[in-house]
Amino acid sequence: MTLVLPNLQGKQMGQVLTTITVTNRIDQVLAERGFIPAGEIRSLTLDKVLVDTGATLLALPAFIISQLGLSQLGETNVETAAGIRKGRIFQDIMLEVEGRQAVFDCLEMPEGVDAIWLGVIPMERLGLEPDLKNQRLRVLPMNEEQTYLMV
């Protein structure tokens, strides 16, 4: 018996890239309370962010964490392709994706890795899921009749 596979050339499936905005939440609070001007809020819009269902958190390279001036929350063990390593966790990031926003912690990517990953915890909290066929994020319903949030 011969297995015949369809021609998938030009129909690459599986990789979803998105655009996110990351903002230092502490800066936002300081501006709201009049301690700094709104123009001093550190924020970046990042394109080509990989949606990664194998990642848990938002993961950012060290240079972006530095530009945002984020505070380190602590260290934890992180599973990587190279095995378990220590990773630094940073706090108070206002993350906006597809018009939805919430505050999260992030993991610092290992040294030398400049990739940005959007993991499952932020996606779940924001009501987003990857649409692998169409290579985009799907925004789950949030209205008077339907909601992705459950108790």
Side-chain angles (χ1 to χ4, degrees):
M1 180 174 174
T2 303
L3 178 62
V4 178
L5 297 173
N7 180 3
L8 297 177
Q9 190 172 13
K11 299 178 184 174
Q12 184 180 18
M13 220 169 95
Q15 188 177 55
V16 176
L17 299 175
T18 193
T19 298
I20 67 172
T21 300
V22 286
T23 303
N24 182 320
R25 179 65 185 137
I26 301 298
D27 287 355
Q28 284 182 318
V29 171
L30 291 172
E32 288 167 7
R33 296 189 178 167
F35 293 109
I36 65 171
E40 290 184 16
I41 297 172
R42 290 169 283 188
S43 184
L44 297 167
T45 298
L46 307 167
D47 296 318
K48 298 182 182 174
V49 173
L50 181 64
V51 173
D52 188 348
T53 58
T56 307
L57 304 172
L58 171 66
L60 299 173
F63 76 92
I64 290 176
I65 291 169
S66 177
Q67 285 179 8
L68 293 171
L70 301 175
S71 299
Q72 185 175 338
L73 179 62
E75 287 189 0
T76 190
N77 291 326
V78 179
E79 187 172 345
T80 70
I84 295 181
R85 304 274 193 261
K86 284 285 184 196
R88 298 191 314 166
I89 302 289
F90 290 81
Q91 62 186 345
D92 296 320
I93 300 161
M94 177 61 74
L95 172 65
E96 183 175 342
V97 186
E98 297 291 335
R100 293 186 174 168
Q101 58 183 348
V103 178
F104 294 97
D105 297 334
C106 81
L107 179 66
E108 181 182 51
M109 291 296 273
E111 189 174 323
V113 179
D114 288 341
I116 302 164
W117 292 346
L118 180 63
V120 294
I121 290 175
M123 282 190 289
E124 187 173 281
R125 172 63 182 89
L126 294 171
L128 305 168
E129 65 182 27
D131 178 348
L132 300 178
K133 182 178 178 185
N134 295 306
Q135 296 179 310
R136 63 177 184 81
L137 277 177
R138 180 181 305 123
V139 180
L140 299 176
M142 174 58 92
N143 55 49
E144 297 296 321
E145 297 171 11
Q146 291 181 301
T147 179
Y148 64 89
L149 293 174
M150 296 177 219
V151 179

